[in-house]
Amino acid sequence: MTEGRQISKAVISRLPRYYRYLGELMEEGIERISSNELSVRMKVTASQIRQDLNNFGGFGQQGYGYNVRYLYDEIAKILGIDRQHNLIIIGSGNLGQAIANYTNFQKRGFLIKGMFDIRPEVIGREIRGIRVRSLDELESFLAENEVQIATLTIPKTEAPAVADRLVKAGIKAIWNFAHTDLNVPDDVVVENVHLSENLMRLSYRVCRLQDEREQKERKKAERAHKTEDGRNGKRS
Amino acid sequence: MTEGRQISKAVISRLPRYYRYLGELMEEGIERISSNELSVRMKVTASQIRQDLNNFGGFGQQGYGYNVRYLYDEIAKILGIDRQHNLIIIGSGNLGQAIANYTNFQKRGFLIKGMFDIRPEVIGREIRGIRVRSLDELESFLAENEVQIATLTIPKTEAPAVADRLVKAGIKAIWNFAHTDLNVPDDVVVENVHLSENLMRLSYRVCRLQDEREQKERKKAERAHKTEDGRNGKRS
DNA sequence: TAGATTGTTAATCGATTAACAATC
DNA sequence: TAGATTGTTAATCGATTAACAATC
């Protein structure tokens, strides 16, 4: 991995997708692939693939292409999913449970060490063998357990205060599902999953497509109308 | 709204965030705001805000700024969240339930018309007053009900086949939570929420920050070592 | 060796920021 | 009117694509 200059955010956000496709190739038993073949599958340019990968070093071989397994492992290293990440989930509602139940995360080295909630009726319950603790225990738990990542699946009203507590307790990263932005120091990573914003983008695109369809139909109707006129009036 | 040329994806993806901040301003009772004030709150440049908004027309007024309420409503129109969107949820697991239970979506005009599953033990259950139907009923349900959007909260193995059925049944948009890409015709919108990819980006950033910290400490240790040498050896 | 395909430089394209005239 | 702030053009910056020499 070439040290030094910053790698652009756009490149990073594409890496997990490369990783996913390489995983699928491995499942298909494909051992090598050229940037061109991969570009067809992924619907991106071969140039972009080569450019992206060369940010981290030469993983390919001229005249051969890329070794699928090797590239897969290298990307895992870059993304840090070869290491173990300990995480806690704050908010044991449906979303928190969905994450706790998604076994692929544990497979990728993301280990759920604890779950927290403020609702008395859920505290003490077990979800996939993880006990739901009272949020009061947050600080003492973090003092005793090494945890890097906190998942925030709580209402937006509670999120900023909890985020502050997490930062004070030394958490390194927050995976934020609350519908609000969090203010944290520079050395704390926040990755937002704003589902409602995602749904609005979907809405925009649906509406634009609908508008297009309607416009097309209007034009069609207009043309039909003109032909009608032509029939009744004079023809050139 | 100025018709014509395509608006860039980057602009669209920022609109929901503007919308969120404008909503908060309204709650605070703020009636007008300048691009500069807003830029401070949102941590973007004022130039970008003005440039973004002017893609859709002049919503502001020189010497005054923007009327919060007016801008809020205009963005809602652009995003199409002033209209009603009917949706179904396919997969009634934790993630599907989380979406069904998130009342803000209904508030924004996204109405959940039905839920579907293949697991016999959940079919017939009610979630927030919505009955979980067998996936076998999908086509007949869509024939009888006007539904634009389908939310896919099912395993990646099932997703492509279900997506095909949805497209055939005339669905206009898929909100895809399955960890796979879907192949659909051009006139069907897909918005992906790939949580595992999001988590990998988080992992990358955590690791880079950790590496930085470690490097700093190493340098510090080196410096300390040199000083040590200096003490024992000669000083200039 | 010849053919294939990478790694990398150069060219293009698009998005962001700066600047300022228009105007409320 | 003077001051403020937009709308918009121009300048800069960054990301994507094309091209090709290097090399397996």
Side-chain angles (χ1 to χ4, degrees):
Chain A
M1 208 178 308
T2 332
E3 303 283 328
R5 101 242 73 101
Q6 198 67 20
I7 281 130
S8 100
K9 221 182 163 179
V11 174
I12 302 307
S13 67
R14 281 193 293 268
L15 287 182
R17 190 157 176 266
Y18 291 137
Y19 186 72
R20 178 154 53 84
Y21 273 83
L22 289 164
E24 284 170 15
L25 286 170
M26 274 165 54
E27 276 173 23
E28 289 177 38
I30 295 169
E31 280 178 15
R32 61 180 253 197
I33 193 153
S34 69
S35 58
N36 200 51
E37 287 172 288
L38 189 57
S39 77
V40 172
R41 280 181 178 251
M42 295 189 63
K43 293 174 183 164
V44 296
T45 63
S47 208
Q48 181 163 76
I49 294 174
R50 295 205 298 275
Q51 197 75 279
D52 281 355
L53 296 178
N54 274 87
N55 279 296
F56 306 97
F59 298 139
Q61 197 169 74
Q62 283 97 329
Y64 172 89
Y66 298 88
N67 179 292
V68 174
R69 168 103 236 168
Y70 174 71
L71 188 54
Y72 183 80
D73 290 339
E74 284 302 313
I75 292 179
K77 278 188 218 164
I78 295 166
L79 289 170
I81 46 180
D82 59 331
R83 317 186 190 182
Q84 186 182 310
H85 298 272
N86 294 335
L87 60 85
I88 55 171
I89 297 173
I90 301 181
S92 70
N94 288 130
L95 201 46
Q97 285 181 47
I99 291 164
N101 283 319
Y102 191 64
T103 48
N104 268 33
F105 291 149
Q106 354 269 311
K107 232 178 60 192
R108 289 280 137 70
F110 297 93
L111 267 98
I112 299 162
K113 290 291 174 177
M115 288 185 84
F116 296 85
D117 210 299
I118 49 167
R119 294 169 299 163
E121 68 269 27
V122 297
I123 293 167
R125 273 199 208 161
E126 288 223 342
I127 293 161
R128 265 197 103 75
I130 305 153
R131 210 180 85 234
V132 179
R133 290 180 162 79
S134 163
L135 193 59
D136 296 338
E137 298 175 38
L138 180 65
E139 281 80 4
S140 62
F141 184 89
L142 289 176
E144 281 162 32
N145 295 272
E146 220 183 272
V147 175
Q148 293 86 43
I149 306 172
T151 302
L152 233 56
T153 49
I154 56 176
K156 68 162 179 275
T157 45
E158 325 285 335
V162 174
D164 286 347
R165 285 173 66 182
L166 287 166
V167 169
K168 278 207 191 89
I171 212 90
K172 296 284 170 286
I174 298 174
W175 198 18
N176 178 38
F177 288 77
H179 299 220
T180 187
D181 293 338
L182 301 175
N183 283 314
V184 300
D186 273 355
D187 63 343
V188 176
V189 173
V190 176
E191 195 76 32
N192 291 309
V193 181
H194 290 323
L195 292 184
S196 59
E197 300 192 1
N198 204 274
L199 189 53
M200 289 183 197
R201 282 188 273 277
L202 182 73
S203 168
Y204 173 87
R205 292 172 61 202
V206 174
C207 291
R208 281 305 80 73
L209 230 53
Q210 200 170 304
D211 289 353
E212 257 177 53
R213 261 191 289 266
E214 274 167 22
Q215 211 165 41
K216 243 181 230 167
E217 264 169 44
R218 216 176 305 127
K219 267 184 195 161
K220 211 170 150 189
E222 249 170 57
R223 257 200 311 279
H225 188 67
K226 266 185 196 157
T227 315
E228 190 81 2
D229 283 357
R231 240 178 246 134
N232 297 338
K234 61 181 178 195
R235 273 260 176 70
S236 66
Chain B
M1 208 177 312
T2 332
E3 304 283 329
R5 98 243 75 97
Q6 198 68 20
I7 281 129
S8 98
K9 221 181 164 180
V11 174
I12 303 307
S13 67
R14 281 193 293 267
L15 288 182
R17 189 156 177 264
Y18 291 137
Y19 187 72
R20 178 155 52 85
Y21 272 83
L22 289 164
E24 284 170 15
L25 286 169
M26 275 166 53
E27 277 173 22
E28 289 178 39
I30 295 168
E31 280 177 14
R32 59 179 254 195
I33 194 152
S34 70
S35 57
N36 200 51
E37 288 170 288
L38 189 57
S39 78
V40 172
R41 280 180 179 252
M42 295 187 64
K43 293 174 183 165
V44 296
T45 63
S47 207
Q48 181 163 73
I49 293 175
R50 295 204 297 277
Q51 196 76 280
D52 280 355
L53 297 178
N54 273 88
N55 278 295
F56 306 97
F59 298 139
Q61 197 168 75
Q62 283 98 329
Y64 173 89
Y66 298 88
N67 179 290
V68 174
R69 168 101 237 169
Y70 174 71
L71 188 55
Y72 182 79
D73 289 340
E74 286 301 315
I75 292 178
K77 278 187 218 163
I78 296 166
L79 289 171
I81 47 180
D82 59 331
R83 317 183 189 183
Q84 187 183 308
H85 298 272
N86 295 334
L87 61 84
I88 54 171
I89 297 173
I90 301 180
S92 71
N94 287 130
L95 201 47
Q97 285 181 47
I99 291 163
N101 282 319
Y102 190 64
T103 49
N104 268 33
F105 292 150
Q106 353 270 310
K107 232 178 63 193
R108 290 280 137 70
F110 297 93
L111 266 96
I112 299 162
K113 291 289 176 180
M115 287 185 85
F116 295 85
D117 211 298
I118 49 166
R119 294 169 298 164
E121 69 270 26
V122 298
I123 293 168
R125 273 199 207 161
E126 289 224 343
I127 292 162
R128 266 197 103 74
I130 306 152
R131 211 181 85 235
V132 179
R133 290 179 162 79
S134 163
L135 193 60
D136 296 339
E137 297 175 37
L138 180 67
E139 280 80 4
S140 61
F141 184 89
L142 289 176
E144 281 164 31
N145 296 272
E146 222 183 271
V147 175
Q148 293 85 43
I149 305 172
T151 302
L152 234 55
T153 49
I154 55 177
K156 69 162 178 278
T157 44
E158 324 285 334
V162 174
D164 285 349
R165 286 174 65 184
L166 287 166
V167 169
K168 277 207 192 90
I171 213 87
K172 296 283 171 288
I174 298 174
W175 198 16
N176 177 38
F177 288 76
H179 298 220
T180 186
D181 293 337
L182 301 175
N183 282 315
V184 300
D186 273 353
D187 62 343
V188 175
V189 173
V190 175
E191 194 77 31
N192 291 309
V193 182
H194 291 325
L195 292 185
S196 59
E197 300 192 1
N198 204 274
L199 189 53
M200 288 183 197
R201 283 188 273 276
L202 182 73
S203 167
Y204 174 85
R205 292 172 60 201
V206 174
C207 291
R208 281 306 80 74
L209 230 53
Q210 200 170 305
D211 289 352
E212 258 177 52
R213 260 191 289 266
E214 274 167 23
Q215 211 164 40
K216 244 180 229 166
E217 263 168 46
R218 213 175 308 128
K219 268 184 195 160
K220 211 169 149 188
E222 249 170 58
R223 259 199 310 277
H225 188 68
K226 267 186 198 158
T227 315
E228 189 81 2
D229 283 357
R231 239 178 247 135
N232 296 340
K234 61 181 176 194
R235 272 257 177 71
S236 67

